Amino acid sequence: MAGESQQPNSSNSSSPIKGPTSPTQHLPNTTTNPDNGTEKVTLKKEIGLVSACAIIIGNIIGSGIFISPKGVLEHSGSVGLALIIWVIGGGVSALGSLCYAELGVAIPKSGGDYSYVTEIFGGLAGFLLLWSAVLIMYPTSLAVITLTFSNYVLQPVFPDCIPPYNASRVLSIVCLLLLTWVNSTSVRWATRIQDIFTAGKLLALGLIIVVGFMQIFKGNYEELKPTNAFNFWMVPTVGQLALAFLQGSFAFSGWNFLNYVTEELVDPRRNLPRAIFISIPLVTFVYTFTNIAYFTAMSPQELMSSNAVAVTFGEKLLGYFSWIMPVSVALSTFGGINGYLFTSSRLCFSGAREGHLPSLLAMIHFKYCTPVPALLVCCGATIIIMLVGDTYTLINYVSFINYLCYGVTIIGLIVLRWKKPKMFRPIKVNLLVPITYLMFWAFLLIFSFYSEPIVCGVGLIIILTGVPVFFLGVYWKQKPKCIDSFIESMTYCGQKVCYVVYPQPVPDEDLIPCNDTQVIENEKSLKIQ
């Protein structure tokens, strides 16, 4: 951690750790000027607007829309209120994404929430967010999505029972290792997979929506008539409404993931807000009309008794083609796994670059320019959670921690406005936007504590376990030489195994790599201004 002898942010950040032999002495020349025909060893800007939208949509639309409708309906007490909650959930996500758009272009660093909280509130706050995310939040979410994928793939093989535990785990691990290899060897292929599978899952949900409209045209919309839609079978309490919104917010989680890869985004000051403005309304539309389609085929009781809503929908309306639904869910979760790996590895990379994680995680492959060590850590942590943890219990803690992080980050936007009022902000949202979001956030948080005190308490304990780790690993600078020597030797071995070096620094202007002549011209123009 920060006690290592050499940090990624130091003046020697483009060279490896000290040792008897530098690993880069055995590497091809990758530090020459790009005009000479070789590229710099740095994260590549290969995420355009389409891929940016695919990252947001692909991370939001994972398994949530196939799982959450049941929970939202159970806690809301009526079809009409459930649909309203889905619309409001999309609106709240849009408010949050507007705040993240301002933060993303004002602080153009990869790492999302972690980078913004560290910049605004300091190292301890940022580390606690990073600690909870790396320790449990993203590995658990990734494990749940991976297990969902394997269960749906194996369902045709075991049609009359739940797929065996070992078979499900083995397939999950194979899928995870495959996508880790893809992400380690090519950013372009990783984004292409995201584009293709995002298009596939949108087509699958589009099929559900079209079939739903066909049902409406046939007159099969009894549950959607106002008299039936707001026929409450129970009067929901405020606590139950909060839980319904939390269930819906789980389906919308991932709207902030593009901020984790800002430095790999082409023209981030334009494409980051554009991707957000395109993706969030589109997902809200798809989610709302998908739920409307569900109610054209199922009664509320049928939906709440189903463990796989889309599959039940397909069995009732698609007949021979009902197999399309489990295949669609499998494809959707496969794309979700890829998106989570891609973005969570950049969080590890950013944390290591700030000195909050071992410096090896801040290195990238000298040829592929991908954060291989960070990807391996994300993959390994997910496999451990998958094998030894009760992931479906942990996901309750994840939802609370995730939502807590959103609120702290958006509070940071208001604090940054106060601390640095003259800071250059290409996007500046009205203060009513973060204030409205935070009012909704506080409502959910308070009633979540009231309704699920144990879950929220354990979530807070998980976060606070990072405090002693921060002071021992990061704040304590003068560690014994034996510890520093051990860390150096482990980092050196990791460099040789993964064939990685520190990335070369890039210019600050939009974080776009450019040659030496362009740097000189930029400096001249800044002096003139």
Side-chain angles (χ1 to χ4, degrees):
M1 296 187 182
E4 296 176 28
S5 59
Q6 185 172 346
Q7 291 301 319
N9 284 334
S10 66
S11 59
N12 297 325
S13 62
S14 61
S15 60
I17 61 168
K18 296 177 182 179
T21 307
S22 173
T24 52
Q25 291 175 4
H26 307 293
L27 300 179
N29 181 12
T30 56
T31 59
T32 55
N33 191 298
D35 293 337
N36 295 335
T38 51
E39 295 182 354
K40 291 186 176 182
V41 180
T42 185
L43 294 176
K44 302 300 181 184
K45 287 185 166 290
E46 295 183 342
I47 304 175
L49 180 59
V50 173
S51 293
C53 292
I55 287 174
I56 297 176
I57 297 170
N59 277 294
I60 294 177
I61 304 176
S63 59
I65 188 57
F66 307 110
I67 298 172
S68 294
K70 177 180 176 179
V72 173
L73 186 62
E74 281 179 344
H75 294 294
S76 59
S78 75
V79 171
L81 187 55
L83 293 175
I84 290 172
I85 286 173
W86 281 105
V87 175
I88 295 176
V92 171
S93 298
L95 292 177
S97 63
L98 286 171
C99 299
Y100 273 65
E102 176 178 326
L103 288 168
V105 295
I107 307 174
K109 293 181 179 179
S110 293
D113 316 62
Y114 161 73
S115 294
Y116 312 146
V117 169
T118 302
E119 180 87 10
I120 298 165
F121 295 113
L124 177 59
F127 179 82
L128 292 179
L129 190 153
L130 179 70
W131 171 257
S132 58
V134 173
L135 180 68
I136 189 169
M137 193 188 307
Y138 292 121
T140 300
S141 299
L142 194 50
V144 170
I145 297 173
T146 309
L147 289 170
T148 303
F149 164 80
S150 62
N151 286 333
Y152 273 94
V153 170
L154 292 172
Q155 194 62 50
V157 183
F158 303 94
D160 300 324
C161 63
I162 298 173
Y165 177 91
N166 290 335
S168 177
R169 262 58 181 181
V170 168
L171 182 58
S172 297
I173 292 172
V174 169
C175 172
L176 197 61
L177 291 174
L178 172 64
L179 287 175
T180 300
W181 174 78
V182 171
N183 278 268
S184 298
T185 53
S186 174
V187 171
R188 181 167 297 174
W189 273 106
T191 56
R192 292 297 177 271
I193 287 175
Q194 196 67 14
D195 295 348
I196 293 167
F197 281 89
T198 297
K201 65 181 70 177
L202 284 176
L203 287 173
L205 292 173
L207 174 63
I208 293 175
I209 293 170
V210 169
V211 172
F213 273 116
M214 291 173 63
Q215 287 288 99
I216 291 173
F217 292 145
K218 292 178 181 179
N220 299 325
Y221 54 88
E222 285 297 317
E223 300 296 340
L224 298 173
K225 292 179 178 179
T227 53
N228 294 328
F230 291 95
N231 182 19
F232 289 85
W233 58 84
M234 71 166 188
V235 179
T237 63
V238 177
Q240 287 171 327
L241 285 177
L243 291 174
F245 276 112
L246 278 177
Q247 288 283 338
S249 68
F250 171 72
F252 279 101
S253 62
W255 52 262
N256 62 324
F257 273 23
L258 186 61
N259 293 68
Y260 285 93
V261 294
T262 304
E263 293 172 38
E264 295 168 82
L265 189 61
V266 176
D267 195 2
R269 287 176 177 166
R270 295 181 64 190
N271 286 333
L272 177 63
R274 282 181 177 180
I276 289 171
F277 299 153
I278 292 170
S279 303
I280 303 299
L282 177 60
V283 171
T284 304
F285 173 87
V286 169
Y287 274 11
T288 304
F289 280 92
T290 298
N291 277 276
I292 289 174
Y294 287 154
F295 290 117
T296 64
M298 291 177 278
S299 67
Q301 291 71 29
E302 286 177 316
L303 191 147
M304 286 188 290
S305 64
S306 172
N307 291 321
V309 181
V311 174
T312 304
F313 177 88
E315 289 172 350
K316 290 179 73 70
L317 295 183
L318 297 181
Y320 178 77
F321 296 99
S322 60
W323 57 267
I324 291 176
M325 284 299 107
V327 170
S328 299
V329 176
L331 294 177
S332 176
T333 51
F334 188 83
I337 297 164
N338 182 73
Y340 260 84
L341 267 176
F342 188 87
T343 51
S344 59
S345 63
R346 271 58 179 180
L347 177 61
C348 287
F349 174 85
S350 299
R353 188 172 56 183
E354 294 294 330
H356 287 164
L357 290 175
S359 60
L360 178 65
L361 301 182
M363 299 183 189
I364 62 176
H365 194 277
F366 89 98
K367 180 180 178 182
Y368 302 131
C369 296
T370 54
V372 175
L375 282 162
L376 293 176
V377 165
C378 292
C379 177
T382 302
I383 291 173
I384 292 171
I385 290 283
M386 196 185 302
L387 294 178
V388 303
D390 184 355
T391 53
Y392 292 95
T393 299
L394 291 173
I395 199 68
N396 294 325
Y397 308 134
V398 168
S399 298
F400 170 77
I401 295 171
N402 207 17
Y403 215 74
L404 185 64
C405 293
Y406 290 160
V408 171
T409 304
I410 292 175
I411 290 172
L413 182 147
I414 299 175
V415 172
L416 192 64
R417 290 273 190 96
W418 173 68
K419 289 173 63 176
K420 298 182 179 180
K422 295 183 180 180
M423 184 180 187
F424 177 57
R425 294 175 173 86
I427 296 174
K428 191 173 182 179
V429 300
N430 190 298
L431 272 179
L432 286 175
V433 173
I435 289 171
T436 304
Y437 182 91
L438 289 172
M439 289 173 61
F440 183 82
W441 172 78
F443 159 77
L444 279 185
L445 218 59
I446 290 169
F447 284 100
S448 295
F449 265 107
Y450 176 77
S451 302
E452 298 285 347
I454 296 177
V455 169
C456 297
V458 173
L460 283 177
I461 291 172
I462 290 171
I463 295 173
L464 294 176
T465 55
V467 174
V469 178
F470 173 80
F471 283 103
L472 289 174
V474 179
Y475 187 79
W476 182 24
K477 302 293 184 182
Q478 303 300 322
K479 295 182 177 67
K481 289 185 178 180
C482 60
I483 296 178
D484 284 336
S485 298
F486 175 75
I487 293 173
E488 283 193 3
S489 62
M490 293 301 295
T491 306
Y492 178 65
C493 291
Q495 281 189 268
K496 291 197 295 183
V497 170
C498 298
Y499 225 42
V500 292
V501 294
Y502 288 123
Q504 293 175 261
V506 295
D508 289 334
E509 184 181 356
D510 281 338
L511 298 172
I512 299 176
C514 55
N515 59 38
D516 296 337
T517 305
Q518 289 172 318
V519 173
I520 295 170
E521 290 299 322
N522 289 339
E523 289 176 349
K524 288 181 179 179
S525 64
L526 287 172
K527 289 178 182 177
I528 292 172
Q529 294 172 1

